[in-house]
Amino acid sequence: MSVGRRPRRPIAAANWKMNLLRADAAAWCRAVHENLDAAPAASDVVVFPGFPLIAEVAAALAGAPVEIGGQDLHPQDKGAHTGDVSAAQLRDAGCAWALCGHSERRHDHGESDATVAAKIAAALRQGLKPMICLGETRDERKAGRTFEVLERQLGAALEVHPESAPAFALAYEPVWAIGTGETATPEIAQEAHRFLRERLGGLIGEERAAAVPILYGGSVTPDNAASLIAEEDVDGFLVGGASLDAEKFLTIIRSSD
């Protein structure tokens, strides 16, 4: 299928989370590298490995049309922060992207909107492209607060350096659909993405907002990718579990071809 009507090139992003060892990662990189070399995709491709794997994945994918990202970063550029990773260290290891505000960081580590904004600012200072995650929980959706939550998260995220647009992407992750096997329908995804793009227009101008990719990230699989990417404001995917299998991820990548 073609998604050429939109003014944005789709992005397929693999978030490995705390999964895969070196041998697994090497096999994954070989499969993806060979496939994309044989037939270039209509999507840009990004992979977010665990921190210990970043340099090796970057080396294994050298020459492939794939960018590397870090799953998190510290708001400070350097210092006494044991166990944390800076934006400069991510860039030095081969990263072009950084995930900011993933729902698991917000939930597991108590990251506030202010913390997420500080991490976005840190990424931008070091020339990394932030992939900014936003989304509502099941309780928030049931209470009819989806748009309220998205507007709050987006406003906080863009309070830092909004003039840097469009050097970032958004990823809408309905928290109620992550790891549950439950997926937002294409209509639900489009409604949220359209809302985000309209609010972006008010914050950074309609022309810039039209250029910002908004990815869907909620239990994406090879079975539902094509119907989701067919929606006008769904510009690709942030893929969790299905991205661990190279063949499944390649099918998702090809859903926008």
Side-chain angles (χ1 to χ4, degrees):
M1 66 174 297
S2 171
V3 291
R5 69 187 184 283
R6 73 191 75 211
R8 303 165 295 278
R9 183 172 166 86
I11 299 173
N15 178 16
W16 289 357
K17 307 189 181 186
M18 199 171 68
N19 295 294
L20 301 189
L21 302 179
R22 293 170 65 193
D24 305 315
W28 190 98
C29 291
R30 281 195 300 273
V32 170
H33 203 323
E34 291 170 2
N35 185 283
L36 296 180
D37 281 350
S43 294
D44 290 334
V45 181
V46 183
V47 57
F48 294 94
F51 292 141
L53 297 173
I54 287 175
E56 288 192 44
V57 168
L61 291 171
V66 181
E67 291 188 307
I68 315 299
Q71 295 179 16
D72 186 38
L73 73 163
H74 194 277
Q76 299 299 317
D77 294 331
K78 60 181 179 179
H81 304 288
T82 300
D84 285 309
V85 175
S86 73
Q89 289 174 320
L90 291 179
R91 189 185 61 184
D92 188 54
C95 290
W97 289 87
L99 278 180
C100 299
H102 191 280
S103 61
E104 289 158 2
R105 298 293 309 179
R106 293 178 189 263
H107 180 268
D108 294 350
H109 299 273
E111 290 192 3
S112 65
D113 291 341
T115 299
V116 174
K119 291 186 175 188
I120 294 167
L124 292 170
R125 282 197 303 273
Q126 295 297 328
L128 294 176
K129 294 174 282 190
M131 188 170 289
I132 304 167
C133 301
L134 318 97
E136 80 281 14
T137 65
R138 183 183 298 277
D139 287 345
E140 288 167 340
R141 184 162 191 84
K142 286 183 175 179
R145 298 179 56 217
T146 294
F147 293 159
E148 172 193 337
V149 171
L150 293 180
E151 186 160 22
R152 186 198 77 229
Q153 293 175 338
L154 181 65
L158 294 192
E159 191 171 347
V160 290
H161 303 309
E163 71 277 4
S164 297
F168 65 90
L170 301 181
Y172 169 59
E173 22 168 39
V175 182
W176 47 271
I178 297 176
T180 64
E182 188 175 354
T183 308
T185 64
E187 294 75 20
I188 289 174
Q190 169 59 21
E191 182 182 46
H193 285 222
R194 174 56 60 86
F195 176 83
L196 286 169
R197 195 167 314 282
E198 289 175 351
R199 290 301 181 270
L200 266 179
L203 292 167
I204 63 175
E206 291 184 5
E207 184 176 352
R208 286 170 135 182
V212 175
I214 305 179
L215 283 57
Y216 174 78
S219 295
V220 180
T221 71
D223 295 328
N224 61 31
S227 61
L228 287 161
I229 197 69
E231 296 295 332
E232 182 178 357
D233 289 291
V234 177
D235 303 316
F237 307 108
L238 178 59
V239 188
S243 75
L244 304 178
D245 183 312
E247 294 306 316
K248 289 182 178 179
F249 185 58
L250 284 165
T251 300
I252 293 170
I253 293 172
R254 299 293 181 189
S255 66
S256 61
D257 287 357

